[in-house]
Structures are given as structure tokens and as C-alpha cells.
């Protein structure tokens, strides 16, 4: 399969990822059945993860690794979990990308990698304090299109 | 992106970016008519368009405080 990212994009992404302060683990969950975008998403994640020493990629199958999928709240494929990595410890913040992060969403994918790498939400003090007092789960789903 | 930022401040917050064209059934379930659409707790609140930090915080706190009530 030809590469998805051209040299120019790779250069830009590599420069952006140069700001990563801490390691990030990308967990790819695919499926052998009914997954039109699994191969492309896996390849895109592989290509991006080669662009920084701070990035690691692990590849899983939603059926074969069902327990892990449940642990990371993955219920559809393709899905990328963007987690922090400290030594051998992977810390999941609960950030997932369902579907291929191509086109317009590609920059969001890179921004999320940087967000997790720098371990700083960048949110206002008021928002941080309010979130610390949460007592019940909040599941946010942001619907986007790659076009 | 804002949704992802929120996850860093609380272990109770999860954020999933969903490609509406790849998961049309899910998009239909939550009545996605434009993107981005932010859906809180399985459709308890749907917000179409970019949403400022303070507004999203207010909405998610409102959803959580409602508990299991039917969304208004």
C-alpha cells in the first residue's frame, strides 16, 4: 500500500511533534470483519508514530483482545486510544478516536497527541476546579467528518 | 479537541471523536444534522457547532446534576 502521508506533511507533523514533552502510547483497535477503514487507520497511525521517538503504537483486535477493548471503552472499529505512557505504565485519560482521522480531522489527531504528551489540559482554573468536583461519569462524543 | 482537554482534569470524563460518515447508525441515533456535534451521556444533551469551554462545562454539569431524569 502506498504511503498516506507525503513528505511535506510528514515534515510538518514531525516539526509539530517535536514539542512533545512526554511519551504517548497510541492503541489501535481493529477488526477483521466489516471494517472498511481499519487498514488505512492502522497505516496512518503507523506512519505518524514513526515521526517521533515519544510515540509508541500497539495494535489490537477488538474480538481477540476483547478484555482490553472493554477496559479502554472501545466498542467500534477502527478506534485509536490516545494514552499517556510513563515508563511501562500506560495511563488512559479516556480519549478515543473512532474512525479514520484523515482530512480535516488529521490536525485534531495531532493536537490530541500533543495534548496528551504535554499532560496539560490548558483549561481555565474555573473549569479545572469544576471538573475536580464531578461525582458522576460524563461521556462526550464529538461527531465529526473527515471531509 | 475541547472534549479531549476535559478528560485530563477528571477520571470521570471520557471523550470520543466519532467520524459521522463511518458510523451513520450512531449519528442517526443522536440526530446528528451538522458537525461538529457534541453529545453528552448518550444523547442527554446534544450541542451542534463549536462550543466554548464555559458553555460545554455548564451543559455537562447540568446533565450530571439531572442524574437519570429525561432530558428537557
Amino acid at each position: 500500500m502506498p504511503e498516506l502521508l507525503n513528505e511535506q506533511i510528514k515534515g510538518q507533523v514531525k516539526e509539530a511533534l517535536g514539542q512533545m514533552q512526554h511519551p504517548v502510547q497510541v492503541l489501535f483497535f481493529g477488526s477483521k470483519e466489516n471494517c472498511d477503514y481499519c487498514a488505512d487507520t492502522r497505516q496512518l497511525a503507523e506512519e505518524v508514530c514513526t515521526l517521533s521517538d515519544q510515540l509508541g503504537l500497539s495494535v489490537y483486535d477488538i474480538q481477540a483482545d476483547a478484555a482490553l477493548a472493554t477496559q479502554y471503552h472501545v466498542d467500534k472499529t477502527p478506534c485509536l486510544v490516545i494514552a499517556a505512557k510513563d515508563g511501562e505504565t500506560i495511563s488512559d485519560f479516556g480519549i478515543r478516536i473512532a474512525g479514520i482521522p484523515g482530512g480535516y480531522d488529521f490536525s485534531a489527531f495531532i493536537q490530541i497527541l500533543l495534548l496528551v504528551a504535554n499532560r496539560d489540559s490548558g483549561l481555565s482554573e474555573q473549569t479545572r476546579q469544576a471538573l475536580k468536583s464531578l461525582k458522576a461519569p460524563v461521556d462526550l462524543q464529538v461527531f465529526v467528518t473527515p471531509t | 479537541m475541547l472534549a479531549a482537554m476535559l478528560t485530563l482534569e477528571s477520571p470521570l470524563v471520557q471523550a470520543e471523536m466519532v467520524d459521522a460518515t463511518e458510523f451513520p447508525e450512531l449519528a442517526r441515533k443522536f440526530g446528528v444534522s451538522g458537525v461538529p456535534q457534541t453529545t453528552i451521556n448518550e444523547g442527554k444533551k446534544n450541542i451542534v457547532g463549536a462550543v466554548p469551554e464555559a458553555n460545554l462545562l455548564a451543559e455537562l454539569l447540568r446533565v450530571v446534576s439531572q442524574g437519570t431524569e429525561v432530558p428537557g
Side-chain angles (χ1 to χ4, degrees), chain A residues 76 96 98 121 127 139 144, chain B residues 9 14 16-17 20 41 53:
Chain A
K76 52 183 97 55
R96 299 183 299 279
S121 71
T127 303
D139 290 320
V144 292
Chain B
E9 300 296 339
Q14 302 257 328
E16 185 173 71
M17 207 167 86
N41 286 3
E53 180 181 325

Side-chain angles (χ1 to χ4, degrees), chain A residues 5-6 8 11 18 20 38 41 46 50 53-54 57 70-71 77 82 86-87 112 117 120-121 133-134 142 146-147:
Chain A
L5 301 176
N6 65 33
Q8 187 191 352
M20 290 181 70
C38 274
T41 302
E46 284 172 348
T50 60
D53 293 340
Q54 300 275 41
L57 174 68
T70 303
Q71 181 189 327
T77 58
I82 316 295
D86 297 290
I112 288 171
D120 180 9
S121 71
S133 63
L134 270 181
V142 183
T147 50

Side-chain angles (χ1 to χ4, degrees), chain A residues 109-120:
Chain A
F109 174 35
I110 303 302
Q111 283 175 19
I112 288 171
L113 294 175
L114 287 168
L115 172 77
V116 175
N118 297 340
R119 316 280 199 265
D120 180 9

Side-chain angles (χ1 to χ4, degrees), chain A residues 37 73 76-77 93-96 98-100 121 123-124 127-128 132 134 137-144 146, chain B residues 1 5 7-9 12-20 22-23 26 30 32 35-39 41 53 64:
Chain A
Y37 291 93
H73 302 95
K76 52 183 97 55
T77 58
F93 290 114
I95 302 174
R96 299 183 299 279
I100 186 165
S121 71
L123 295 166
S124 72
T127 303
R128 291 175 197 239
K132 279 186 176 51
L134 270 181
V138 175
D139 290 320
L140 300 170
Q141 284 175 306
V142 183
F143 288 88
V144 292
Chain B
M1 185 59 191
M5 290 157 76
T7 67
L8 266 66
E9 300 296 339
L12 289 168
V13 181
Q14 302 257 328
E16 185 173 71
M17 207 167 86
V18 184
D19 182 343
E22 274 179 68
F23 302 99
L26 200 59
F30 298 124
V32 176
V35 292
Q37 173 175 309
T38 306
T39 290
N41 286 3
E53 180 181 325
V64 168

Side-chain angles (χ1 to χ4, degrees), chain B residues 1-65:
Chain B
M1 185 59 191
L2 176 60
M5 290 157 76
L6 296 170
T7 67
L8 266 66
E9 300 296 339
S10 171
L12 289 168
V13 181
Q14 302 257 328
E16 185 173 71
M17 207 167 86
V18 184
D19 182 343
T21 55
E22 274 179 68
F23 302 99
E25 283 174 27
L26 200 59
R28 262 198 301 277
K29 181 179 170 187
F30 298 124
V32 176
S33 57
V35 292
Q37 173 175 309
T38 306
T39 290
I40 307 174
N41 286 3
E42 297 277 318
K44 290 214 163 53
K45 178 75 188 176
N46 297 309
I47 309 165
V48 181
V51 53
E53 180 181 325
N55 297 29
L56 182 56
L57 178 69
E59 292 293 356
L60 73 83
L61 292 175
R62 201 171 66 86
V63 167
V64 168
S65 69

